[in-house]
């Protein structure tokens, strides 16, 4: 079935397709028919720059379970990465005040 | 009647450009038998994954079976690129507007009926969203001679599912239908559910419309797609001859 379930969010970052890197402006997350994944419905994530045309797209099609695991991995990476950044900042501030 | 091996056959298939809805130039894949005809004609209405290889191959299949067949690119206005990239543009925009699709189908029918080797009878055939669009077009247009709705999800829509692109539930226009309907559905489908198919059949019956419905156990959504896990060989090979019989009956 076609669910037409789509959620969008603006993005800041870059994506890479077959032609090279491009500026990302948006992500669309749909729960609908995939083009390639062998399931009836997938979590389809398109990282896009709509103004640059249809080929400015980085696509993934994930099972719902995989998508949830990805969300958890992203959250974990952000948390750990920002913790490292915070410690580095504290260390540099401490060094500067000596 | 099966063709015999000593019979000459020839088809031609190519991309053409025609004036679609609002006079917009749109591409279409046009496959037809070669010869004087007159041939019945078909418009194939592609599914949500877009104007892809599967639809173009099926367009040639219809030509092989004797139909001058046109498959318009309903996503023309979303730009050009790989079919899945263009379909993703349409998907992320909330789908192609019904009004545009009906206009492009109308233009396709007019194109086919104007060809010197067609017989003036044109049918519609669509799967998934194409089944819904075909049913809607058959209700809205007066130049459709037969409609094949294959698991058209969203023929029966809830109020909360209406969107700017799909502002009405096609079933509500059933009274206006003038063409006979062939419906092919899988009983494991979740859209249309067997209950939705029951509602569609009840509406056709209520309005005294001519229809044939075939509903298959052990099949879900998209069971003709031989490039997808949804393919069901036994059910598909039973259903294809029903398509040819229905079209032969109404378009010859």
């Amino acid at each position: 079935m076609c669910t037409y379930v789509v959620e969008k969010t603006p993005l800041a970052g870059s994506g890479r397709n077959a032609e090279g890197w491009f500026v990302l402006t948006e992500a669309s997350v749909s729960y609908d028919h995939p083009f390639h994944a062998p399931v009836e419905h997938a979590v389809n994530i398109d990282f896009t720059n709509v103004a640059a045309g249809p080929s400015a797209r980085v696509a993934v099609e994930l099972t719902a379970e995989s998508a949830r695991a990805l969300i958890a991995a992203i959250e974990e990476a952000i948390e750990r990465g920002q913790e490292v950044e915070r410690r580095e900042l504290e260390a540099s501030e401490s060094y500067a005040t000596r | 009647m099966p063709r015999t091996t000593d019979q000459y056959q020839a088809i031609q298939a190519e991309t053409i450009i025609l004036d679609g809805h609002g006079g917009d130039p749109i591409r279409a894949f046009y496959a037809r038998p070669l010869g004087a005809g007159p041939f019945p004609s078909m418009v194939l209405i592609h599914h949500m994954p877009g104007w892809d290889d599967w639809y173009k191959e099926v367009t040639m299949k219809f030509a092989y079976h004797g139909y001058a067949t046109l498959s318009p690119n309903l996503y023309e206005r979303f730009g050009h690129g790989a079919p899945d990239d263009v379909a993703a543009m349409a998907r992320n925009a909330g789908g192609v507007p019904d009004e545009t699709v009906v206009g492009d189908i109308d233009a396709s029918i007019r194109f086919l009926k104007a060809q010197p080797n067609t017989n003036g009878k044109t049918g519609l055939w669509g799967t998934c969203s194409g089944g819904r669009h075909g049913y809607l077009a058959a209700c809205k247009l007066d130049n459709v001679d037969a409609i094949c709705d294959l698991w058209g999800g969203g023929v029966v829509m809830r109020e909360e599912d209406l969107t700017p692109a799909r502002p009405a539930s096609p079933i509500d226009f059933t009274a206006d239908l003038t063409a006979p309907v062939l419906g092919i559905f899988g009983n494991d489908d979740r859209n249309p559910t067997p209950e939705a198919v029951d509602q569609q059949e009840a509406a056709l019956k209520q309005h005294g419309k001519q229809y044939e419905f075939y509903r298959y156990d052990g099949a879900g959504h998209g069971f003709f797609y031989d490039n997808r896990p949804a393919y069901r060989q036994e059910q598909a090979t039973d259903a294809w001859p029903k398509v040819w019989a229905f079209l032969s009956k109404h378009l010859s």
Side-chain angles (χ1 to χ4, degrees):
Chain A
M1 65 173 171
C2 311
T3 67
Y4 294 96
V5 171
V6 182
E7 295 291 332
K8 295 185 186 186
T9 182
L11 284 183
S14 296
R16 194 183 194 289
N17 62 10
E19 293 159 18
W21 288 96
F22 63 97
V23 174
L24 294 176
T25 60
E26 189 176 274
S28 292
V29 183
S30 67
Y31 189 89
D32 214 322
H33 296 312
F35 298 106
H36 186 270
V39 291
E40 185 175 341
H41 294 132
V43 178
N44 309 298
I45 308 173
D46 292 326
F47 300 98
T48 62
N49 182 329
V50 175
S55 65
R57 180 173 80 110
V58 178
V60 294
E61 299 177 339
L62 306 171
T63 63
E65 188 181 41
S66 299
R68 289 188 194 283
L70 178 64
I71 293 166
I74 291 171
E75 294 281 10
E76 178 69 14
I78 291 171
E79 193 170 321
R80 288 176 52 203
Q82 291 187 335
E83 174 63 18
V84 170
E85 282 181 337
R86 191 179 58 76
R87 284 202 307 267
E88 286 176 349
L89 182 64
E90 285 173 358
S92 65
E93 285 172 350
S94 164
Y95 181 81
T97 55
R98 274 185 210 167
Chain B
M1 279 286 284
R3 289 182 179 82
T4 55
T5 51
D6 57 350
Q7 192 176 354
Y8 174 76
Q9 281 187 272
I11 65 170
Q12 183 172 353
E14 62 185 323
T15 304
I16 63 165
I17 296 178
L18 68 147
D19 290 337
H21 177 71
D24 297 342
I26 62 167
R27 284 161 184 76
F29 194 61
Y30 184 32
R32 67 278 198 190
L34 295 183
F39 302 111
S41 57
M42 290 295 296
V43 178
L44 265 52
I45 307 159
H46 68 69
H47 52 180
M48 190 184 179
W51 196 48
D52 58 8
D53 287 348
W54 193 86
Y55 252 85
K56 291 181 180 177
E57 288 164 8
V58 174
T59 302
M60 290 189 283
K61 183 183 182 84
F62 274 81
Y64 178 83
H65 283 264
Y67 296 86
T69 308
L70 196 64
S71 177
N73 175 18
L74 304 173
Y75 293 166
E76 182 82 23
R77 296 160 190 85
F78 291 97
H80 292 284
D84 57 348
D85 285 339
V86 177
M89 289 281 277
R91 178 177 68 196
N92 297 337
V96 63
D98 283 348
E99 184 186 4
T100 311
V101 173
V102 172
D104 286 348
I105 292 171
D106 186 31
S108 300
I109 295 170
R110 290 174 193 281
F111 171 88
L112 288 166
K113 291 197 174 187
Q115 298 309 302
N117 61 349
T118 54
N119 72 355
K121 291 188 178 178
T122 306
L124 308 180
W125 187 95
T127 61
C128 185
S129 61
R132 175 185 175 277
H133 282 141
Y135 192 87
L136 180 66
C139 294
K140 293 281 189 183
L141 303 173
D142 61 4
N143 52 5
V144 178
D145 299 292
I147 156 73
C148 302
D149 167 12
L150 287 82
W151 54 88
V155 169
V156 181
M157 296 173 73
R158 300 175 304 172
E159 188 75 27
E160 57 267 38
D161 293 330
L162 302 180
T163 66
R166 298 176 300 139
S169 181
I171 194 173
D172 292 341
F173 305 112
T174 299
D176 301 328
L177 195 62
T178 55
V181 180
L182 173 71
I184 290 177
F185 307 98
N187 289 332
D188 296 337
D189 203 334
R190 288 179 287 168
N191 188 11
T193 60
E195 293 73 27
V197 177
D198 288 344
Q199 283 180 259
Q200 189 177 353
E201 184 168 9
L204 288 163
K205 205 175 280 184
Q206 179 196 338
H207 293 289
K209 304 301 178 184
Q210 194 178 352
Y211 73 93
E212 296 174 29
F213 273 20
Y214 298 97
R215 304 164 69 154
Y216 288 90
D217 287 331
H221 196 80
F223 67 92
F224 276 31
Y225 300 150
D226 52 7
N227 59 345
R228 300 287 303 166
Y231 182 58
R232 293 293 178 270
Q233 185 270 340
E234 183 183 342
Q235 294 84 344
T237 51
D238 184 83
W240 268 114
K242 292 181 167 40
V243 171
W244 306 128
F246 174 80
L247 295 177
S248 173
K249 182 174 164 187
H250 295 290
L251 300 184
S252 294

